[in-house]
Every structure is written in structure tokens, then in C-alpha cells.
Amino acid sequence: MRVIALQSGSKGNCVYLESDNVRVLFDAGISGKQAQERLAYFHIDIRSIDALLISHDHIDHVSCAGVFNRKFGIPLWITQKTFKVAKSQIGEVKQVNFFTSGETIHFDGLNIETIKTPHDAVDGVCFVADDGKKRFGVCTDLGCVFNELPSVVQSVNGLLLESNYDPIMLRYGEYPPELQDRIRSSHGHLSNEEAAELLLHYGQNLEVVMLGHISEKNNTERQVVSTHQKILGNNFRAELAHYRTNSNCVYI
Ligand SMILES: [Zn+2]
Ligand SMILES: [Zn+2]
């Protein structure tokens, strides 16, 4: 399996994953042109992608879903509730396939499990892709460490995990108190500490970790690395998932 974080964070999310026979994108929060160019850098034709799966209705995940479908003919996979709420952002689509959260979607040699999250979207999910040999989780916008999350982390060989904010930077940063409360609530995002603790306790099967959805206002790459190193010690071996051309591609 190969995974490329084309972009991760509040300015847009889009993750590419391929197994032997199937190529999928998770989320469409970057422009069609950006996705096309960034995939082309890895010699991947965006028109060869078999499915676009949407995690939830927030703009940084869904904004260009309609474009990906209309311009490149990528079939859209989304829950009905998310589609209803995001319809005005998505616009007309030629092909839409609905799944329900908790359902496993079957492609040719690749199953994609959808796991309901408590993040503050109408019907948010995170994903685990399983090709029968390896399992990779795409887990951002989680809300909190919800009941199923430890077993999800334990079950995967590779993981893109959100490490969204540093609590002190959030507390003393520029966000108004209501927005701060939203981020640290059980419907917001995981902090660096929460992400690192999760990896420490449940990451024993992980061969590859990408840390993503890193806040630009309430976090820094340096803070992410130092917190994870402090908690994980010698076990720390994560990549940071930003858009940095060739550094966001991993294999398991
Ligand atoms: Zn997001
Ligand atoms: Zn979100």
C-alpha cells in the first residue's frame, strides 16, 4: 500500500491511497488543480482514481468534492446526511454512492471500513483501508479519544493521525474563548498529548505514522515533535503530514 498526504490541515485535506488494484482519495479540501499537480509529481493520473471518500461536511474536507467528480470523473462516496448538508458546496455530481457510518465499503481487493467519530460534523467518520495484507488508518477530525479509537489504532500497520493543537498555545493564542472551547471539547480535535498517548499505549503494530491536521495557529511542527518525543521517547518515529512535495509519501 502507498499513501500520500497531498495536504493535511484546516486549509484543506486530501489523502491518496493505493493498493494493488485500487486507487482512492480521502477528502477533497484542495483544488482540483492542486490535487492533479501533486499527484502528477508522483506520476499518478488523477483520472485513474476509483473513488473519492468524504469523511465529513467541513469545508476543509469537502469543498472541491464536486469538482473532483465533474472535472476528473471520480465517483463520490459520502453519507446521505453529509451529502445533504454539503450539497451547496458540492454542487451537481454525476455519480454519487452512499454509505452509512460504520459500514465497510468493498472495492477490488481493498476494503474500506468507516468508523463514526464524535467530531462536530453532522455525520463524521474516519477510515481504515485493508488490502488483506496491511491496514492503514486515516484518522483526523476525531473529536476525542472515543471508545473505538484505541482498537482502531491497535489494528493498523500505518496511520495518519491528527495532532492538532498544543494546549498552551491554544490557551494563550488568538482564538476567542468559544472557539478554544470547541477545539478542546470532545467534539473538536486531538491535542499533541492526546495523539502521543494514543500512540504510546496502542501503537504497537504501527510501522508508519504520519501526524497531520496540525493547526497553523495553535501548534508548530517543533511543538508536535517535542511533545511526541517527550511522551514516546525512543519509540517516536513519525512523519509530519503537510504539503512538502516528496516527503509525504509512505509505503506499508
Ligand atoms: Zn478538518
Ligand atoms: Zn472537521
Side-chain angles (χ1 to χ4, degrees), residues 96-117:
V96 58
N97 304 279
F98 293 115
F99 66 88
T100 49
S101 64
E103 189 180 332
T104 298
I105 305 167
H106 303 278
F107 296 100
D108 180 16
L110 183 72
N111 291 334
I112 297 186
E113 299 164 15
T114 68
I115 301 116
K116 192 173 179 54
T117 69

PDB file of all heavy atoms in Angstrom, residues 96-117:
ATOM      1  N   VAL A  96     -22.910   9.526  -7.494  1.00  0.00           N
ATOM      2  CA  VAL A  96     -22.748   9.546  -6.042  1.00  0.00           C
ATOM      3  C   VAL A  96     -23.170   8.208  -5.460  1.00  0.00           C
ATOM      4  O   VAL A  96     -24.177   7.622  -5.857  1.00  0.00           O
ATOM      5  CB  VAL A  96     -23.500  10.746  -5.398  1.00  0.00           C
ATOM      6  CG1 VAL A  96     -24.973  10.729  -5.723  1.00  0.00           C
ATOM      7  CG2 VAL A  96     -23.277  10.808  -3.909  1.00  0.00           C
ATOM      8  N   ASN A  97     -22.332   7.698  -4.565  1.00  0.00           N
ATOM      9  CA  ASN A  97     -22.604   6.422  -3.894  1.00  0.00           C
ATOM     10  C   ASN A  97     -22.712   6.717  -2.404  1.00  0.00           C
ATOM     11  O   ASN A  97     -21.834   7.369  -1.843  1.00  0.00           O
ATOM     12  CB  ASN A  97     -21.441   5.452  -4.110  1.00  0.00           C
ATOM     13  CG  ASN A  97     -21.147   5.237  -5.574  1.00  0.00           C
ATOM     14  OD1 ASN A  97     -21.805   4.455  -6.239  1.00  0.00           O
ATOM     15  ND2 ASN A  97     -20.167   5.962  -6.098  1.00  0.00           N
ATOM     16  N   PHE A  98     -23.774   6.225  -1.806  1.00  0.00           N
ATOM     17  CA  PHE A  98     -23.956   6.500  -0.382  1.00  0.00           C
ATOM     18  C   PHE A  98     -23.493   5.325   0.469  1.00  0.00           C
ATOM     19  O   PHE A  98     -23.715   4.167   0.125  1.00  0.00           O
ATOM     20  CB  PHE A  98     -25.434   6.797  -0.095  1.00  0.00           C
ATOM     21  CG  PHE A  98     -25.909   8.079  -0.721  1.00  0.00           C
ATOM     22  CD1 PHE A  98     -26.872   8.069  -1.708  1.00  0.00           C
ATOM     23  CD2 PHE A  98     -25.372   9.293  -0.315  1.00  0.00           C
ATOM     24  CE1 PHE A  98     -27.299   9.247  -2.296  1.00  0.00           C
ATOM     25  CE2 PHE A  98     -25.789  10.483  -0.900  1.00  0.00           C
ATOM     26  CZ  PHE A  98     -26.758  10.466  -1.882  1.00  0.00           C
ATOM     27  N   PHE A  99     -22.841   5.660   1.587  1.00  0.00           N
ATOM     28  CA  PHE A  99     -22.548   4.641   2.600  1.00  0.00           C
ATOM     29  C   PHE A  99     -23.088   5.153   3.933  1.00  0.00           C
ATOM     30  O   PHE A  99     -23.339   6.346   4.080  1.00  0.00           O
ATOM     31  CB  PHE A  99     -21.036   4.337   2.680  1.00  0.00           C
ATOM     32  CG  PHE A  99     -20.177   5.479   3.169  1.00  0.00           C
ATOM     33  CD1 PHE A  99     -19.932   5.671   4.534  1.00  0.00           C
ATOM     34  CD2 PHE A  99     -19.598   6.376   2.270  1.00  0.00           C
ATOM     35  CE1 PHE A  99     -19.120   6.725   4.982  1.00  0.00           C
ATOM     36  CE2 PHE A  99     -18.786   7.428   2.712  1.00  0.00           C
ATOM     37  CZ  PHE A  99     -18.555   7.608   4.058  1.00  0.00           C
ATOM     38  N   THR A 100     -23.267   4.236   4.878  1.00  0.00           N
ATOM     39  CA  THR A 100     -23.659   4.670   6.221  1.00  0.00           C
ATOM     40  C   THR A 100     -22.461   4.514   7.141  1.00  0.00           C
ATOM     41  O   THR A 100     -21.631   3.606   6.943  1.00  0.00           O
ATOM     42  CB  THR A 100     -24.844   3.845   6.771  1.00  0.00           C
ATOM     43  OG1 THR A 100     -24.550   2.469   6.581  1.00  0.00           O
ATOM     44  CG2 THR A 100     -26.134   4.169   6.056  1.00  0.00           C
ATOM     45  N   SER A 101     -22.350   5.386   8.141  1.00  0.00           N
ATOM     46  CA  SER A 101     -21.179   5.317   9.010  1.00  0.00           C
ATOM     47  C   SER A 101     -21.182   3.970   9.737  1.00  0.00           C
ATOM     48  O   SER A 101     -22.221   3.499  10.199  1.00  0.00           O
ATOM     49  CB  SER A 101     -21.163   6.483   9.994  1.00  0.00           C
ATOM     50  OG  SER A 101     -22.262   6.414  10.846  1.00  0.00           O
ATOM     51  N   GLY A 102     -20.019   3.352   9.792  1.00  0.00           N
ATOM     52  CA  GLY A 102     -19.913   2.019  10.382  1.00  0.00           C
ATOM     53  C   GLY A 102     -19.862   0.931   9.320  1.00  0.00           C
ATOM     54  O   GLY A 102     -19.452  -0.198   9.597  1.00  0.00           O
ATOM     55  N   GLU A 103     -20.267   1.274   8.113  1.00  0.00           N
ATOM     56  CA  GLU A 103     -20.287   0.302   7.017  1.00  0.00           C
ATOM     57  C   GLU A 103     -18.868   0.089   6.457  1.00  0.00           C
ATOM     58  O   GLU A 103     -18.042   0.992   6.495  1.00  0.00           O
ATOM     59  CB  GLU A 103     -21.179   0.890   5.908  1.00  0.00           C
ATOM     60  CG  GLU A 103     -21.491  -0.048   4.786  1.00  0.00           C
ATOM     61  CD  GLU A 103     -22.383   0.633   3.720  1.00  0.00           C
ATOM     62  OE1 GLU A 103     -23.157   1.561   4.060  1.00  0.00           O
ATOM     63  OE2 GLU A 103     -22.274   0.225   2.552  1.00  0.00           O
ATOM     64  N   THR A 104     -18.627  -1.115   5.923  1.00  0.00           N
ATOM     65  CA  THR A 104     -17.374  -1.366   5.192  1.00  0.00           C
ATOM     66  C   THR A 104     -17.677  -1.328   3.700  1.00  0.00           C
ATOM     67  O   THR A 104     -18.624  -1.958   3.241  1.00  0.00           O
ATOM     68  CB  THR A 104     -16.789  -2.741   5.578  1.00  0.00           C
ATOM     69  OG1 THR A 104     -16.480  -2.717   6.974  1.00  0.00           O
ATOM     70  CG2 THR A 104     -15.518  -3.038   4.792  1.00  0.00           C
ATOM     71  N   ILE A 105     -16.881  -0.557   2.969  1.00  0.00           N
ATOM     72  CA  ILE A 105     -17.081  -0.422   1.523  1.00  0.00           C
ATOM     73  C   ILE A 105     -16.074  -1.348   0.827  1.00  0.00           C
ATOM     74  O   ILE A 105     -14.879  -1.338   1.153  1.00  0.00           O
ATOM     75  CB  ILE A 105     -16.852   1.040   1.075  1.00  0.00           C
ATOM     76  CG1 ILE A 105     -17.746   1.988   1.895  1.00  0.00           C
ATOM     77  CG2 ILE A 105     -17.134   1.201  -0.412  1.00  0.00           C
ATOM     78  CD1 ILE A 105     -17.367   3.452   1.760  1.00  0.00           C
ATOM     79  N   HIS A 106     -16.575  -2.143  -0.109  1.00  0.00           N
ATOM     80  CA  HIS A 106     -15.722  -3.155  -0.756  1.00  0.00           C
ATOM     81  C   HIS A 106     -15.343  -2.713  -2.164  1.00  0.00           C
ATOM     82  O   HIS A 106     -16.210  -2.469  -3.004  1.00  0.00           O
ATOM     83  CB  HIS A 106     -16.456  -4.495  -0.830  1.00  0.00           C
ATOM     84  CG  HIS A 106     -16.892  -4.985   0.518  1.00  0.00           C
ATOM     85  ND1 HIS A 106     -16.041  -5.647   1.379  1.00  0.00           N
ATOM     86  CD2 HIS A 106     -18.073  -4.864   1.171  1.00  0.00           C
ATOM     87  CE1 HIS A 106     -16.684  -5.929   2.500  1.00  0.00           C
ATOM     88  NE2 HIS A 106     -17.921  -5.463   2.405  1.00  0.00           N
ATOM     89  N   PHE A 107     -14.035  -2.610  -2.391  1.00  0.00           N
ATOM     90  CA  PHE A 107     -13.520  -2.381  -3.735  1.00  0.00           C
ATOM     91  C   PHE A 107     -12.770  -3.650  -4.157  1.00  0.00           C
ATOM     92  O   PHE A 107     -12.738  -4.617  -3.403  1.00  0.00           O
ATOM     93  CB  PHE A 107     -12.598  -1.150  -3.754  1.00  0.00           C
ATOM     94  CG  PHE A 107     -13.306   0.129  -3.414  1.00  0.00           C
ATOM     95  CD1 PHE A 107     -13.229   0.679  -2.134  1.00  0.00           C
ATOM     96  CD2 PHE A 107     -14.076   0.781  -4.358  1.00  0.00           C
ATOM     97  CE1 PHE A 107     -13.900   1.855  -1.818  1.00  0.00           C
ATOM     98  CE2 PHE A 107     -14.751   1.961  -4.049  1.00  0.00           C
ATOM     99  CZ  PHE A 107     -14.660   2.494  -2.775  1.00  0.00           C
ATOM    100  N   ASP A 108     -12.150  -3.632  -5.320  1.00  0.00           N
ATOM    101  CA  ASP A 108     -11.457  -4.808  -5.832  1.00  0.00           C
ATOM    102  C   ASP A 108     -10.174  -5.070  -5.021  1.00  0.00           C
ATOM    103  O   ASP A 108      -9.137  -4.468  -5.289  1.00  0.00           O
ATOM    104  CB  ASP A 108     -11.128  -4.580  -7.318  1.00  0.00           C
ATOM    105  CG  ASP A 108     -10.398  -5.766  -7.916  1.00  0.00           C
ATOM    106  OD1 ASP A 108     -10.416  -6.849  -7.306  1.00  0.00           O
ATOM    107  OD2 ASP A 108      -9.805  -5.603  -8.996  1.00  0.00           O
ATOM    108  N   GLY A 109     -10.269  -5.920  -4.022  1.00  0.00           N
ATOM    109  CA  GLY A 109      -9.091  -6.239  -3.206  1.00  0.00           C
ATOM    110  C   GLY A 109      -8.783  -5.216  -2.139  1.00  0.00           C
ATOM    111  O   GLY A 109      -7.721  -5.274  -1.507  1.00  0.00           O
ATOM    112  N   LEU A 110      -9.669  -4.284  -1.921  1.00  0.00           N
ATOM    113  CA  LEU A 110      -9.459  -3.273  -0.871  1.00  0.00           C
ATOM    114  C   LEU A 110     -10.788  -2.993  -0.170  1.00  0.00           C
ATOM    115  O   LEU A 110     -11.763  -2.588  -0.809  1.00  0.00           O
ATOM    116  CB  LEU A 110      -8.921  -1.968  -1.479  1.00  0.00           C
ATOM    117  CG  LEU A 110      -8.592  -0.860  -0.474  1.00  0.00           C
ATOM    118  CD1 LEU A 110      -7.329  -1.197   0.326  1.00  0.00           C
ATOM    119  CD2 LEU A 110      -8.402   0.494  -1.168  1.00  0.00           C
ATOM    120  N   ASN A 111     -10.806  -3.250   1.142  1.00  0.00           N
ATOM    121  CA  ASN A 111     -11.994  -2.910   1.931  1.00  0.00           C
ATOM    122  C   ASN A 111     -11.712  -1.624   2.692  1.00  0.00           C
ATOM    123  O   ASN A 111     -10.626  -1.457   3.252  1.00  0.00           O
ATOM    124  CB  ASN A 111     -12.305  -4.019   2.938  1.00  0.00           C
ATOM    125  CG  ASN A 111     -12.780  -5.278   2.236  1.00  0.00           C
ATOM    126  OD1 ASN A 111     -13.317  -5.217   1.125  1.00  0.00           O
ATOM    127  ND2 ASN A 111     -12.586  -6.415   2.880  1.00  0.00           N
ATOM    128  N   ILE A 112     -12.696  -0.747   2.718  1.00  0.00           N
ATOM    129  CA  ILE A 112     -12.543   0.478   3.498  1.00  0.00           C
ATOM    130  C   ILE A 112     -13.607   0.509   4.586  1.00  0.00           C
ATOM    131  O   ILE A 112     -14.808   0.549   4.299  1.00  0.00           O
ATOM    132  CB  ILE A 112     -12.574   1.716   2.595  1.00  0.00           C
ATOM    133  CG1 ILE A 112     -11.364   1.633   1.660  1.00  0.00           C
ATOM    134  CG2 ILE A 112     -12.541   2.992   3.450  1.00  0.00           C
ATOM    135  CD1 ILE A 112     -11.123   2.801   0.791  1.00  0.00           C
ATOM    136  N   GLU A 113     -13.106   0.440   5.823  1.00  0.00           N
ATOM    137  CA  GLU A 113     -14.010   0.484   6.979  1.00  0.00           C
ATOM    138  C   GLU A 113     -14.253   1.939   7.344  1.00  0.00           C
ATOM    139  O   GLU A 113     -13.333   2.756   7.289  1.00  0.00           O
ATOM    140  CB  GLU A 113     -13.361  -0.248   8.169  1.00  0.00           C
ATOM    141  CG  GLU A 113     -13.085  -1.709   7.875  1.00  0.00           C
ATOM    142  CD  GLU A 113     -12.104  -2.346   8.860  1.00  0.00           C
ATOM    143  OE1 GLU A 113     -11.845  -1.765   9.935  1.00  0.00           O
ATOM    144  OE2 GLU A 113     -11.591  -3.423   8.532  1.00  0.00           O
ATOM    145  N   THR A 114     -15.482   2.262   7.684  1.00  0.00           N
ATOM    146  CA  THR A 114     -15.803   3.628   8.110  1.00  0.00           C
ATOM    147  C   THR A 114     -16.183   3.574   9.588  1.00  0.00           C
ATOM    148  O   THR A 114     -16.931   2.693  10.005  1.00  0.00           O
ATOM    149  CB  THR A 114     -16.943   4.218   7.271  1.00  0.00           C
ATOM    150  OG1 THR A 114     -18.166   3.525   7.556  1.00  0.00           O
ATOM    151  CG2 THR A 114     -16.646   4.106   5.774  1.00  0.00           C
ATOM    152  N   ILE A 115     -15.627   4.478  10.356  1.00  0.00           N
ATOM    153  CA  ILE A 115     -15.840   4.466  11.815  1.00  0.00           C
ATOM    154  C   ILE A 115     -16.399   5.824  12.232  1.00  0.00           C
ATOM    155  O   ILE A 115     -15.800   6.862  11.949  1.00  0.00           O
ATOM    156  CB  ILE A 115     -14.505   4.198  12.565  1.00  0.00           C
ATOM    157  CG1 ILE A 115     -13.922   2.854  12.114  1.00  0.00           C
ATOM    158  CG2 ILE A 115     -14.696   4.218  14.074  1.00  0.00           C
ATOM    159  CD1 ILE A 115     -12.617   2.946  11.404  1.00  0.00           C
ATOM    160  N   LYS A 116     -17.524   5.803  12.890  1.00  0.00           N
ATOM    161  CA  LYS A 116     -18.192   7.041  13.304  1.00  0.00           C
ATOM    162  C   LYS A 116     -17.353   7.794  14.341  1.00  0.00           C
ATOM    163  O   LYS A 116     -16.811   7.185  15.256  1.00  0.00           O
ATOM    164  CB  LYS A 116     -19.552   6.682  13.911  1.00  0.00           C
ATOM    165  CG  LYS A 116     -20.467   7.861  14.109  1.00  0.00           C
ATOM    166  CD  LYS A 116     -21.852   7.376  14.545  1.00  0.00           C
ATOM    167  CE  LYS A 116     -22.811   8.518  14.789  1.00  0.00           C
ATOM    168  NZ  LYS A 116     -22.941   9.444  13.652  1.00  0.00           N
ATOM    169  N   THR A 117     -17.228   9.102  14.188  1.00  0.00           N
ATOM    170  CA  THR A 117     -16.468   9.910  15.145  1.00  0.00           C
ATOM    171  C   THR A 117     -17.388  10.901  15.859  1.00  0.00           C
ATOM    172  O   THR A 117     -18.430  11.283  15.317  1.00  0.00           O
ATOM    173  CB  THR A 117     -15.384  10.758  14.432  1.00  0.00           C
ATOM    174  OG1 THR A 117     -16.049  11.771  13.659  1.00  0.00           O
ATOM    175  CG2 THR A 117     -14.492   9.936  13.540  1.00  0.00           C
TER     176      THR A 117
END
